[in-house]
Each structure stands twice: as C-alpha cells, then as structure tokens.
Amino acid sequence: MNIVLIGTIGAGKSTIGKEIANMSEFNFVDTDDLIHERMGEIGPIWNPFLYSAVFYDTEDEVLDEMAEKDNLVIATGALATSHKNILKQLRKNGVIIRLHPDVETVVAREKQKRRFFLVAEGESYEDAIARDYHTYRDQYLDYDYSFDVSDEEPPETYAARILDHIYSLHGSEIQMPSRG
C-alpha cells in the first residue's frame, strides 16, 4: 500500500512526505525529483513549451511506475492530478491524501522559497502565487482523506496525524518491509 500526497504548490507534500517516511516503514519518493533526474539538466536557453511537453510526458511515465510499487509515500507534483485517470491508477495500491493549505499559507511558504512564478504586468509576486493557487485548487477534489495544513504546525505533527489516520483505517492492508 502507498500513501499518495496531492495538493497545491506549497502544500508541504515533500516536507510532510519525508516525515511520514521517517516515522514509518514507508519509503519516500518525490516525483518531481524523479522527473528532473530523467530529463537531465536543461541548458541556459530552452523552449518553455517544449520543456512543458517533455515534463508532462515524463511525469505521466513516473506516476504510472509509482502506481505499480508498494510501501511508498509518493509526493506528487502540484499538477500531477491533471493526468487522465492517474488518481484511479494510484488508488489501486494506495490512498490519496490531499494536503490543503489556505492561500495565505501558500503565499508565505512560496515567498520564503522564492520559486519561479510567471508574474503578469502590474501583478505582484504574491498575487501571482495566489492566482496559481486559485486557478488549480479545484483539481484536488478527488481524494480519500484531506488534511488542513494551514495552521503552521511542524511537519512532524502533520505526518503523525496522517499516519495515525492511515493505520487506524488501513492498518491490516499495510505490509511492513523488514529493515535489515
């Protein structure tokens, strides 16, 4: 059984996912990292439209592969749920956990990280983050369980809540790998 984390950019999928793995027998996988490894380094001059198409195709392949594995915490990319039928496939061997921060939390986290956002003329960096949040937030409505991650608890607290919930409902389905 896998734990699949979905949510907006800045939801904490990677941070909380690593903590879940640290607290359990699950192994952590960040699909964005796998995609970037497969795509290799992009040179200083690149076509964003070509990059997006290659990224999307590679993401589809990675998500398909992760759906076939077991005992993983899978932190998906922010737009992974836009792939046709991917949640249905990931759900065959896992539970879909939506991490749901409010827009203020996302803006604060992303401002701290200073990630790249396309900023329209006359738009602030913060407004661009909020625009993306509101544009894509409805694609995270197909989930098994949702956790509000807006109150700025430490990642360990969210991870413990998620694990407690998963074990209480799915404990008999979880195969613990032996660590040797």
Side-chain angles (χ1 to χ4, degrees), residues 31 35 38 52-67 79-80 82-87 89-90:
T31 60
I35 294 162
R38 289 189 186 182
S52 294
V54 172
F55 184 93
Y56 190 82
D57 288 345
T58 307
E59 183 174 47
D60 200 39
E61 291 170 12
V62 166
L63 290 167
D64 282 341
E65 289 173 26
M66 293 305 104
L79 298 178
S82 64
H83 291 270
K84 186 177 180 180
N85 296 320
I86 196 59
L87 291 178
Q89 186 166 341
L90 288 166

Side-chain angles (χ1 to χ4, degrees), residues 85-156:
N85 296 320
I86 196 59
L87 291 178
K88 181 179 178 183
Q89 186 166 341
L90 288 166
R91 191 173 273 122
K92 287 179 186 175
N93 188 35
V95 294
I96 309 298
I97 304 289
R98 174 189 181 219
L99 300 182
H100 181 61
D102 58 29
V103 68
E104 294 81 12
T105 299
V106 171
V107 169
R109 289 177 184 169
E110 293 306 305
K111 275 178 61 175
Q112 189 176 36
K113 292 178 186 175
R114 295 304 292 177
R115 288 193 215 200
F116 174 78
F117 280 88
L118 291 176
V119 179
E121 188 174 337
E123 183 179 49
S124 70
Y125 181 75
E126 293 82 2
D127 289 341
I129 297 168
R131 175 182 34 81
D132 275 8
Y133 174 90
H134 291 295
T135 298
Y136 298 111
R137 70 177 174 193
D138 288 345
Q139 79 176 28
Y140 311 108
L141 298 179
D142 182 10
Y143 55 84
D144 299 312
Y145 311 106
S146 182
F147 289 84
D148 185 334
V149 292
S150 300
D151 57 5
E152 291 304 315
E153 294 282 342
E156 302 85 16

